[in-house]
Amino acid sequence: MRILEINAMRGPNYWSVRRHKLIVMVLDLEDMEERPTNKIEGFKDRLEAMFPTMYEHRCSVGTAGGFFQRVEEGTWMGHVIEHIALEIQTLAGMDVGFGRTRGYGEKGVYNVVFAYMEESVGRYAAKVSVAICEALIAGEPYDMTDDIQRMRELREAERLGPSTGSIVEEAASRGIPWIRLNKYSLCQLGYGSNQKRIQATVTSETSSIGVELACDKEDTKYLLEQAEVQTPRGDIIRRESSVEEACNYVGFPLVVKPVDGNHGRGITVNIQNVEDALVAFRIAKESSKNGAVILEKYILGEDYRLLVINNVLVAAAKRTPANVIGNGSSTIQELIDEVNKDPRRGYGHENVLTQITVNDLTLGLIAASGYTLDSVLKKDERLILKDTANLSTGGTAEDVTDIVHPANVFMVERISKIIDLDICGIDIMTTDISKPLEETGGAVLEVNAGPGFRMHLAPTSGLPRNVAAHVIDKLFPHGTTGRIPIVAVTGTNGKTTTTRLIAHMAKMKGLKVGYTTSDGIYIQNRLLMKGDCTGPASAEFVLKDPTINFAVLESARGGLLRAGLGFHNCDIGIVTNVAADHLGLKGIHTIEQLAKVKGVIPETVSPDGYAILNADDDLVYEMRRHVNCNVALFSMDENNPRIKAMQKLGGLTAVYENGFITVCRGEWKMRILKAVNVPLTYGGRATFMIQNVLPAVLTAYIQKFTIDEMKVALETFIPSPAQTPGRLNLFQFKDFQVLLDYAHNPAGMRALQRFIENIDASVKVGIIAGVGDRREEDTLEIGSIAAEMFDEIIIRQDKNLRGRSDTELINMLDTGIKRIDPNKKTTIIPNEKEAATFAIKNAKKDALIVICSDVIPDALELVQKLKEEEANLLYEFSTKDIPNK
């Protein structure tokens, strides 16, 4: 078995638009395809022995044990690998269940698709599942222990923490989109100019001064004391020589901690003498960035964390450090092991509680109590194993929100305003939180910026609190979602022009537009990235940009098959057409499969949005059956029965009728403009450009553009290298014309053919090329169409070989030409620059030279350079002194 490719899908995709995180592994089973599971002796028994819990896999049978039934009947190894990949992720603590295995269109090659929670874990599971399957086939042992632990470690390193994760989940539940901005906890909620950011529990609205204050315990303590808030007596020192004096001032017992510390680092509690205070000072100083250490009176009582969001108390928890309670017979190590058996405890943040680990700090605390790990504690004796009550070190939390005394509620809400924090955790030590601090002798120990939510989301006991909801309420009030309008455009031909036209219309209305095309990424009027930018990474680039409030995203099949979409939902999804192109690639071998890929776009439209579909294309029209949104249709024929049916239902359509580009609401017509007055259509001659205008005006109408706004935008969208690079760019030389177009597939060539039929020329010369990863029949057809279109043909082939030789492609094109006209004048000049230069330098008067290029920037630069050279020569000639005759 060989893994040919592993791709991670992070959004809606060809395999399942409802599930957003899938691994797609292309697997060559080689000889394994001929050895289904029922033909390998003992395979099922070994699989069951290794994965007894896999009995729960229902598979296509639909009942528990269904998968093993399939194995017994005989199934291919790709299917087995799919289930192993799911099972080992489940064993590592990640509950995933969706999987599919499908043929790739090549003998022995399969797409193995399965869900993941963290991408690195999914990729690891893909590789390990193949290795496990190979061991099962060979009857060799395989120990998964290290793999399971490795997947846990990968998950902990990659996934969002409990606090950030809870905020993101709450946002997603409200339809607020989100993007992770780095490998840590920085996330964007919402898109474009409506975005907010969070990093752990610090938000883009959190006061930087408040964070600075909270991180400086000296300043915090001073401000709280000035505001008459109960705080423990303390002293700030920087030198070891000051420890004894500070101890005498504060009095024992005391706490020593760094002034600017966090997460419990460098803290030592319940110090009873100067010698221990000196040791604690050194520990704290190591964790202090500015070298300052605080000595505070150790307040007796229990540790409470009160969480304030938007200046309102939303949760309170009593925290207990990791500890064990003796039973009179078990050693301390045995007691720790017993506590760790609690199913609620897991590795890192995978469960409600974290396992207690024995480290140097733990051993030190045990030794300070006069014990070792082998000591037996007396019955009911409690031994503290950590010096802080953090859940991440094995501590526990009890929700006490409902019993906090109103005086304490008032105090912490006031503190949040004093320190100026929108989210803060206030640590209090008191014997009874249900009484005012003045009565219990308690005190405020610390104010934390960016407090952890885990203890409130899933306390060990008591009521869980959805504290993340309060964060989202603050960031997105009144039900706002942080979204911006997103228009997604796909199709075989015309999608780039349609994308650019819609972006132009939005810019003319005054919107700040970001858009992606096969030429690059544009933010407003700036080209920020060149190249084919039609995949999910490019979409995310636009949606991350804080300056835009409208996005138009060209979405090509390559990105959908490789990594899905860069967004979960769009407001408008356009499909221009589906024609035979890129077939035979990435497991897509038929035009029906290609249509399914393109159909992902309308399937991702929000329920209140619109799928805009081409009613003249059977495959596109069929997509209406699979959408959960409104549908609008466009057609070049106002009498198309599908259009008429939609109009009778009161639906939205756009048609080309009586020379007009018209939008119809039901049967009422709203004529926008005559096609001959739209520069993009070249006086109405470029009918395929009219077809691109129709979904654009539908989009504008849905977005509530006025007819006048649409009209002005259409009149000012001038086809040119700047506005529509490589799309019918017509250059007028002195005695001839050069047309540059992106036509690179049979459908595009046919559309171009219809356009140039309307151009008068003494001779029509075509420069054509093939693309190496296209089917042979497609390349032959391009040659045949060219033979019908042009009087003379130049074949060039120096780019996009993609696995074929230039000779192969040239011969295919030449064969296609000769099928139509064996005597067609054909010249072979492999280099595009040389081919175009030859054609232009040798152009006949009134000739039309058509350059069909799929690398537009290079071709544009060359043609513009040759036009400049001609202009310079004409200028020099016109300024020469010509003597009088």
Side-chain angles (χ1 to χ4, degrees):
M1 283 183 277
R2 291 185 301 129
I3 298 174
L4 302 180
E5 196 174 338
I6 298 177
N7 291 313
M9 301 286 181
R10 288 167 290 177
N13 55 74
Y14 169 58
W15 290 101
S16 172
V17 295
R18 293 176 302 282
R19 298 175 188 266
H20 301 316
K21 300 170 81 170
L22 299 175
I23 291 293
V24 179
M25 174 169 53
V26 183
L27 185 64
D28 185 354
L29 294 180
E30 299 172 318
D31 60 323
M32 287 296 102
E33 188 194 25
E34 305 303 326
R35 297 181 65 197
T37 51
N38 61 343
K39 293 185 179 179
I40 300 175
E41 187 175 349
F43 182 85
K44 176 176 176 288
D45 294 337
R46 292 192 292 273
L47 184 65
E48 281 190 274
M50 192 170 190
F51 298 105
T53 54
M54 203 181 278
Y55 183 79
E56 298 299 322
H57 291 213
R58 304 168 72 87
C59 203
S60 56
V61 178
T63 58
F67 172 62
F68 283 126
Q69 181 181 327
R70 291 286 307 278
V71 172
E72 190 168 17
E73 293 169 352
T75 188
W76 54 91
M77 290 303 162
H79 185 204
V80 175
I81 288 167
E82 167 207 323
H83 280 266
I84 292 175
L86 293 171
E87 184 66 13
I88 59 178
Q89 288 184 88
T90 301
L91 293 173
M94 286 153 280
D95 186 16
V96 290
F98 178 82
R100 294 286 184 271
T101 300
R102 296 289 184 268
Y104 193 74
E106 299 175 17
K107 182 176 172 58
V109 181
Y110 291 86
N111 277 306
V112 178
V113 183
F114 58 86
Y116 69 87
M117 294 182 72
E118 305 300 334
E119 183 177 326
S120 61
V121 178
R123 289 180 179 273
Y124 188 88
K127 296 173 184 177
V128 168
S129 60
V130 172
I132 291 173
C133 192
E134 287 175 332
L136 287 168
I137 291 167
E140 298 171 350
Y142 191 100
D143 186 354
M144 294 184 296
T145 306
D146 290 344
D147 291 325
I148 298 300
Q149 181 59 25
R150 178 59 180 154
M151 285 192 284
R152 285 175 170 162
E153 292 169 357
L154 287 171
R155 177 200 59 211
E156 289 302 304
E158 183 172 318
R159 78 172 180 176
L160 295 171
S163 302
T164 313
S166 69
I167 297 172
V168 164
E169 287 174 13
E170 180 65 24
S173 73
R174 302 187 189 191
I176 299 169
W178 67 280
I179 301 173
R180 190 170 184 172
L181 298 178
N182 65 11
K183 64 180 181 179
Y184 303 108
S185 59
L186 180 63
C187 294
Q188 172 184 318
L189 307 179
Y191 288 147
S193 60
N194 292 334
Q195 67 180 265
K196 305 287 186 179
R197 291 183 181 181
I198 60 168
Q199 183 161 284
T201 59
V202 175
T203 78
S204 50
E205 297 183 356
T206 300
S207 162
S208 60
I209 292 178
V211 173
E212 289 291 330
L213 283 173
C215 291
D216 190 320
K217 292 178 176 58
E218 182 176 7
D219 280 346
T220 300
K221 185 175 176 61
Y222 175 76
L223 287 175
L224 295 182
E225 286 176 348
Q226 293 296 106
E228 293 297 323
V229 174
Q230 290 83 2
T231 59
R233 190 174 192 179
D235 195 9
I236 307 293
I237 61 175
R238 286 177 169 78
R239 296 188 300 276
E240 195 171 307
S241 59
S242 302
V243 170
E244 185 172 358
E245 182 182 351
C247 288
N248 293 332
Y249 169 70
V250 176
F252 297 107
L254 53 80
V255 178
V256 177
K257 55 188 176 182
V259 164
D260 52 5
N262 55 37
H263 299 295
R265 296 186 185 96
I267 298 176
T268 308
V269 301
N270 200 17
I271 297 167
Q272 302 286 346
N273 53 63
V274 174
E275 291 75 20
D276 288 346
L278 283 167
V279 174
F281 174 84
R282 294 170 191 142
I283 293 171
K285 196 169 181 67
E286 286 179 4
S287 298
S288 177
K289 295 176 182 177
N290 63 12
V293 173
I294 186 169
L295 282 75
E296 283 184 344
K297 186 72 175 179
Y298 181 58
I299 306 297
L300 295 176
E302 293 177 298
D303 185 341
Y304 292 89
R305 164 64 64 81
L306 278 66
L307 179 65
V308 180
I309 297 176
N310 203 19
N311 308 124
V312 176
L313 176 70
V314 298
K318 183 172 75 173
R319 305 187 298 173
T320 304
N323 67 89
V324 291
I325 299 174
N327 57 16
S329 60
S330 300
T331 66
I332 292 172
Q333 182 63 66
E334 288 170 341
L335 291 171
I336 293 172
D337 293 341
E338 188 62 31
V339 169
N340 282 337
K341 289 179 182 177
D342 186 337
R344 294 175 301 172
R345 290 189 183 270
Y347 178 81
H349 294 149
E350 69 181 359
N351 288 343
V352 174
L353 297 174
T354 299
Q355 291 190 341
I356 300 172
T357 57
V358 176
N359 55 18
D360 290 342
L361 172 63
T362 307
L363 294 173
L365 291 172
I366 293 172
S369 300
Y371 297 121
T372 69
L373 286 172
D374 296 323
S375 301
V376 176
L377 289 183
K378 296 176 185 177
K379 184 173 175 56
D380 296 329
E381 180 182 357
R382 183 186 295 271
L383 178 64
I384 301 299
L385 302 173
K386 303 291 181 182
D387 60 357
T388 62
N390 294 338
L391 267 66
S392 59
T393 60
T396 59
E398 175 190 353
D399 178 72
V400 295
T401 308
D402 296 330
I403 65 169
V404 179
H405 193 277
N408 295 333
V409 173
F410 171 77
M411 177 188 66
V412 296
E413 291 179 350
R414 181 168 171 257
I415 288 171
S416 73
K417 292 186 177 181
I418 292 169
I419 305 302
D420 190 23
L421 284 172
D422 59 343
I423 301 173
C424 62
I426 299 168
D427 293 338
I428 294 175
M429 188 69 73
T430 181
T431 54
D432 190 349
I433 197 67
S434 67
K435 295 178 181 178
L437 292 193
E438 307 94 89
E439 294 183 14
T440 64
V444 174
L445 304 181
E446 199 168 341
V447 179
N448 298 274
F453 286 178
R454 186 182 178 196
M455 70 187 79
H456 308 296
L457 296 165
T460 314
S461 61
L463 189 66
R465 307 283 172 169
N466 184 11
V467 293
H470 297 277
V471 178
I472 300 301
D473 287 341
K474 181 182 187 300
L475 295 177
F476 299 96
H478 312 301
T480 56
T481 63
R483 301 184 65 87
I484 62 172
I486 298 175
V487 180
V489 184
T490 194
T492 301
N493 294 307
K495 54 186 179 291
T496 299
T497 301
T498 304
T499 297
R500 285 179 168 276
L501 176 55
I502 293 170
H504 174 76
M505 297 175 86
K507 285 186 285 184
M508 290 294 290
K509 187 174 173 64
L511 296 169
K512 307 296 186 184
V513 185
Y515 59 104
T516 64
T517 72
S518 54
D519 310 316
I521 300 175
Y522 296 80
I523 300 298
Q524 297 184 46
N525 291 319
R526 301 288 180 181
L527 174 61
L528 296 186
M529 191 179 297
K530 291 182 179 180
D532 188 347
C533 297
T534 56
S538 301
E540 280 197 355
F541 184 100
V542 167
L543 297 174
K544 287 177 185 176
D545 194 280
T547 69
I548 65 133
N549 56 20
F550 194 94
V552 192
L553 308 173
E554 180 181 345
S555 305
R557 50 155 288 287
L560 276 164
L561 290 170
R562 184 177 61 256
L565 289 172
F567 53 89
H568 288 164
N569 294 103
C570 57
D571 299 279
I572 295 174
I574 298 171
V575 187
T576 58
N577 48 62
V578 177
D581 192 20
H582 299 92
L583 298 182
L585 301 176
K586 300 284 185 184
I588 304 302
H589 296 272
T590 68
I591 193 168
E592 289 75 20
Q593 288 177 316
L594 182 60
K596 188 176 179 183
V597 176
K598 305 286 188 185
V600 169
I601 294 298
E603 288 178 44
T604 59
V605 176
S606 300
D608 58 347
Y610 272 86
I612 299 178
L613 306 177
N614 185 349
D616 297 333
D617 187 309
D618 293 344
L619 291 171
V620 176
Y621 180 68
E622 190 65 20
M623 293 176 188
R624 78 196 189 285
R625 299 184 184 278
H626 307 288
V627 303
N628 181 33
C629 63
N630 301 301
V631 173
L633 301 177
F634 65 94
S635 172
M636 294 293 288
D637 177 10
E638 69 166 327
N639 294 313
N640 183 322
R642 295 165 178 173
I643 293 291
K644 289 295 185 183
M646 176 65 84
Q647 290 174 346
K648 285 188 178 299
L649 292 172
L652 188 61
T653 59
V655 293
Y656 177 50
E657 54 86 27
N658 292 319
F660 282 93
I661 291 163
T662 301
V663 172
C664 302
R665 170 64 75 180
E667 296 179 326
W668 292 98
K669 292 180 179 179
M670 292 167 280
R671 287 178 169 171
I672 311 300
L673 192 65
K674 277 200 168 186
V676 293
N677 295 325
V678 178
L680 185 62
T681 70
Y682 285 90
R685 291 176 295 172
T687 54
F688 61 94
M689 285 298 190
I690 299 174
Q691 190 178 62
N692 294 334
V693 171
L694 295 175
V697 295
L698 273 174
T699 299
Y701 182 81
I702 292 166
Q703 288 296 313
K704 297 182 169 53
F705 291 22
T706 67
I707 290 178
D708 282 343
E709 287 170 336
M710 291 185 233
K711 182 178 178 181
V712 169
L714 291 174
E715 289 174 336
T716 56
F717 190 69
I718 311 297
S720 65
Q723 289 272 43
T724 56
R727 275 71 182 178
L728 290 190
N729 296 154
L730 191 60
F731 298 87
Q732 185 66 56
F733 284 70
K734 180 177 181 292
D735 294 321
F736 57 92
Q737 296 181 93
V738 174
L739 179 67
L740 176 62
D741 193 75
Y742 187 61
H744 62 289
N745 56 50
M749 291 290 285
R750 286 294 183 195
L752 181 61
Q753 180 183 20
R754 289 191 291 273
F755 174 66
I756 68 170
E757 282 174 354
N758 296 317
I759 298 178
D760 292 328
S762 61
V763 62
K764 296 177 182 177
V765 180
I767 301 175
I768 65 170
V771 181
D773 58 4
R774 304 302 196 268
R775 299 178 304 173
E776 182 175 348
E777 56 262 42
D778 295 331
T779 306
L780 289 168
E781 189 176 355
I782 285 175
S784 296
I785 297 170
E788 297 173 7
M789 292 170 64
F790 304 118
D791 302 305
E792 299 176 13
I793 299 173
I794 299 174
I795 303 175
R796 61 93 183 165
Q797 196 66 62
D798 57 337
K799 298 170 184 175
N800 290 324
L801 299 179
R802 299 178 186 177
R804 295 186 188 269
S805 69
D806 56 352
T807 304
E808 272 185 283
L809 290 168
I810 289 169
N811 287 339
M812 286 182 201
L813 291 167
D814 193 43
T815 300
I817 293 167
K818 286 183 166 52
R819 282 180 179 177
I820 302 300
D821 185 352
N823 300 314
K824 180 71 68 177
K825 183 179 179 181
T826 304
T827 307
I828 297 171
I829 306 177
N831 182 274
E832 182 181 51
K833 181 178 180 180
E834 293 175 4
T837 303
F838 173 83
I840 291 172
K841 296 289 187 185
N842 294 279
K844 298 175 182 175
K845 185 174 175 56
D846 298 326
L848 173 66
I849 299 169
V850 180
I851 303 174
C852 299
S853 177
D854 49 5
V855 184
I856 296 303
D858 294 350
L860 271 176
E861 184 180 358
L862 174 61
V863 175
Q864 288 172 324
K865 182 181 178 182
L866 292 170
K867 191 169 184 345
E868 287 172 12
E869 288 178 3
E870 183 193 64
N872 290 335
L873 285 172
L874 290 172
Y875 176 76
E876 289 175 13
F877 181 78
S878 67
T879 56
K880 280 183 180 177
D881 247 347
I882 303 176
N884 291 327
K885 289 187 179 178

